Amino acid sequence: MPKVSKNRLPEKVYTKIFTLLPEMIYACGSANKADSFVKTLFSYSEQTMIAKRISILLMLAKGKSYGIISEKLKVSQGTIAKMAEITSHADTAFLQELEKVVKSDAASEFWNTLGYKIDTLIPPKDGNWSAWRSRKIEDKIAGEQPF
């Protein structure tokens, strides 16, 4: 857990520093620049914590159970509950962006599955179809994302 100074900041300073982070991330303009920004500014453990929190939010939005989330991300159920609570009080803009990511991920998963099914329906010409199907299943399992 990060340590924050017990000394209170004046309200004006507090407000200003908390508007800077989103402005800086937005100013990056691309995923590569944002990645560089995050890697420069945050320690590895801070990056891991933030990435896990985002992953928890996405998995909750996809309807995954606490048990599955805990197992896949190696987080406590208390952390998952905290993120669920945060989501329940989140503003509409945040929830809409989260839903966009979930939908784009679902669409990508749909097209990947469709492509897999089409590939499995067309056996190789003059080949061992059984071995080919087994390889396709192994490839699919190897390519699955943890959430």
Side-chain angles (χ1 to χ4, degrees):
M1 172 169 275
K3 183 174 172 137
V4 178
S5 171
K6 295 177 184 177
N7 300 324
R8 306 262 316 149
L9 294 171
E11 188 63 33
K12 192 173 186 178
V13 173
Y14 184 84
T15 303
K16 179 64 177 171
I17 66 171
F18 274 90
T19 59
L20 284 174
L21 180 61
E23 286 176 10
M24 292 289 294
I25 292 172
Y26 181 75
C28 290
S30 73
N32 286 338
K33 289 180 183 177
D35 182 56
S36 176
F37 175 80
V38 168
K39 286 181 178 173
T40 301
L41 189 62
F42 298 110
S43 70
Y44 178 76
S45 60
E46 290 168 329
Q47 292 173 45
T48 302
M49 176 191 65
I50 293 167
K52 283 186 174 187
R53 287 182 175 197
I54 291 169
S55 299
I56 291 167
L57 292 173
L58 290 171
M59 291 178 80
L60 286 170
K62 289 181 179 183
K64 303 293 183 186
S65 71
Y66 280 33
I68 290 173
I69 297 170
S70 179
E71 178 186 325
K72 296 286 185 188
L73 299 178
K74 309 297 185 221
V75 295
S76 71
Q77 293 201 5
T79 300
I80 300 166
K82 178 180 178 182
M83 297 312 298
E85 178 70 17
I86 287 170
T87 304
S88 69
H89 297 296
D91 68 357
T92 306
F94 175 80
L95 295 174
Q96 288 173 343
E97 291 303 315
L98 184 63
E99 191 61 31
K100 281 184 195 175
V101 173
V102 169
K103 283 182 180 178
S104 70
D105 193 37
S108 173
E109 191 174 305
F110 167 77
W111 289 112
N112 288 338
T113 301
L114 181 63
Y116 167 75
K117 287 185 178 178
I118 290 172
D119 285 348
T120 58
L121 292 174
I122 305 170
K125 201 172 204 176
D126 301 328
N128 182 343
W129 191 80
S130 180
W132 177 76
R133 183 188 297 194
S134 295
R135 276 195 315 274
K136 293 302 270 180
I137 292 170
E138 289 171 6
D139 291 345
K140 181 182 182 228
I141 291 169
E144 286 180 347
Q145 297 199 9
F147 56 87

